[in-house]
Structures are given as C-alpha cells and as structure tokens.
Amino acid sequence: ETGVTQTPRHLVMGMTNKKSLKCEQHLGHNAMYWYKQSAKKPLELMFVYSLEERVENNSVPSRFSPECPNSSHLFLHLHTLQPEDSALYLCASSQDYGPNTGELFFGEGSRLTVL
Amino acid sequence: RKEVEQDPGPFNVPEGATVAFNCTYSNSASQSFFWYRQDCRKEPKLLMSVYSSGNEDGRFTAQLNRASQYISLLIRDSKLSDSATYLCVMRFGGGSYIPTFGRGTSLIVHP
C-alpha cells in the first residue's frame, strides 16, 4: 500500500462544476499539504494542515476550499474554476510541521483540466 | 528576485559523465536544504538532505555554501536512469516552516 494516495488521478471539469480531490496518507503523519504544479513553474504551496488545523494559506483563491477531517485525510473542494487552474495537484505529508519538518512524502497527484 | 532559483536546463550528458547543478537562494535565514528527484509524470521523491558539512550518498554529493547562498548536487558516473528533474527545496527560518521548491533542473543522460 502506497504511503500517500490521491483520487482521482485525472479530472476534467467545466468551469461551473463542483468537484473534490481526495488525499489519504497511511504513514501516521501529523502534517498534510496541497501543492499546485504547473508547467515550467515551481511547485506552489496552497495549504498546510498540522494536526487537522490549517496553519498556512498561501493567498489561494476562494474557489479552492480545503478540508481536513482527520490527520489521515485531506480534501480540496473545487468550484467555478478557471482554465488557468488546470495543473497537477499534489498532496504531501510529513511527520510534523515545525522547526524539524523533514521529508515530504508525495502522492502521485491529481491532474486537473478545466474546460 | 525569486526565493529559490535553478537553471531549468536541460542538461544533456552522456553516460558516465559527471554533472553538477546549483541552486541559489535569496533568504539568508534558510535553515534546511534538500534535493528531490521527479521523474516524468511522477511525484517528487526525496533524493538527499544537504548538510552544512556536505554529504555523499553513492554517486551523489550535496554541498551547501552559506556565504554564497547556494546548494549544489554533483552526480558522478551518470546512468541512463538518472534522467529526471532535480528539485532543490529549502525551508526558511523566522517562524515559517514552508518547504519552498525551485522550478527544477532537467537532466537527460544519453547512451
């Protein structure tokens, strides 16, 4: 069983749709992240949750709404997206979030296309 | 100036070559440094951490130069399987623990 799993792996949606991305980690970690990866650009941090509390919100548009119901699950709710939101959305986890934050473990990503 | 800068490449080298990448950073309060590897259409995975004294893992050597604010990755005896994008990652101090990524350097090792 892989450490961090993301579903769906691919998603095509119209600008008026509402969909959600799901991430689950089986590593017993306390911190989870959403990153956006667009072509030719660095990974952009969107949100960080530590012990189910949002600790970072990196000026992300409100059409992206995260949810962390427990330390193993992280969702990204999507609505009224724009074509420029098409990207690979990567979920990651780490043991903790703090001065000794170590390795990030990534899921395989959800590739989103907005028509 | 971007916080973390990398030459995107691609670096195109023959098998057996030695290749080095640098990654510069602008925040002198940077505390932790890492190299990740990302294969085509795959997720990033940790390659190695970068320690102040430099560290080696087989054919890979990572170094940190705080005075000039850059980290480096040296790959000796390149293999075809080393072809990937190498991402430098750092975490800055001052109360922020966000891992910040460079855009990556593409390496292509050819026969």
Side-chain angles (χ1 to χ4, degrees), chain A residues 34-60:
Chain A
W34 279 117
Y35 278 90
K36 175 184 178 183
Q37 187 172 37
S38 305
K40 312 277 188 206
K41 293 176 70 174
L43 270 74
E44 302 170 55
L45 180 71
M46 300 178 73
F47 303 102
V48 183
Y49 278 81
S50 176
L51 298 172
E52 301 154 48
E53 296 289 325
R54 191 191 305 182
V55 294
E56 299 285 351
N57 178 356
N58 226 20
S59 301
V60 179

Side-chain angles (χ1 to χ4, degrees), chain A residues 3-4 23-33 71 91-96 102-107, chain B residues 36:
Chain A
V4 181
C23 176
E24 183 175 0
Q25 58 97 359
H26 312 275
L27 300 168
H29 287 171
N30 294 318
M32 296 186 76
Y33 309 71
S71 59
C91 174
S93 70
S94 63
Q95 183 61 62
D96 295 293
E103 181 178 358
L104 294 177
F105 292 81
F106 285 88
Chain B
Y36 279 68

Side-chain angles (χ1 to χ4, degrees), chain A residues 5-92:
Chain A
T5 55
Q6 290 186 241
T7 54
R9 295 289 310 281
H10 300 274
L11 178 63
V12 179
M13 59 187 290
M15 288 191 284
T16 57
N17 291 159
K18 288 186 180 181
K19 297 285 184 184
S20 295
L21 306 181
K22 178 183 175 182
C23 176
E24 183 175 0
Q25 58 97 359
H26 312 275
L27 300 168
H29 287 171
N30 294 318
M32 296 186 76
Y33 309 71
W34 279 117
Y35 278 90
K36 175 184 178 183
Q37 187 172 37
S38 305
K40 312 277 188 206
K41 293 176 70 174
L43 270 74
E44 302 170 55
L45 180 71
M46 300 178 73
F47 303 102
V48 183
Y49 278 81
S50 176
L51 298 172
E52 301 154 48
E53 296 289 325
R54 191 191 305 182
V55 294
E56 299 285 351
N57 178 356
N58 226 20
S59 301
V60 179
S62 59
R63 56 187 184 269
F64 295 92
S65 175
E67 178 190 0
C68 187
N70 56 63
S71 59
S72 299
H73 293 86
L74 185 64
F75 294 88
L76 188 63
H77 303 300
L78 317 169
H79 68 98
T80 59
L81 294 192
Q82 305 298 311
E84 60 265 29
D85 296 323
S86 299
L88 181 67
Y89 290 84
L90 288 161
C91 174

Side-chain angles (χ1 to χ4, degrees), chain A residues 9-10 33 35 37 40-43 45 48 56 58 88 90 97-104 106-109 111, chain B residues 2 4 31-32 34 36 38 41-47 49 87 89 91 95-104:
Chain A
R9 295 289 310 281
H10 300 274
Y33 309 71
Y35 278 90
Q37 187 172 37
K40 312 277 188 206
K41 293 176 70 174
L43 270 74
L45 180 71
V48 183
E56 299 285 351
N58 226 20
L88 181 67
L90 288 161
Y97 185 75
N100 298 314
T101 299
E103 181 178 358
L104 294 177
F106 285 88
E108 293 181 290
R111 185 161 296 281
Chain B
K2 295 184 183 131
V4 181
Q31 290 189 333
S32 305
F34 309 88
Y36 279 68
Q38 186 172 22
R41 308 192 77 81
K42 294 284 194 177
E43 73 276 20
K45 292 183 179 178
L46 179 68
L47 178 66
S49 302
L87 306 167
V89 184
R91 193 168 49 76
S96 171
Y97 311 117
I98 296 174
T100 302
F101 284 74
R103 61 183 292 188

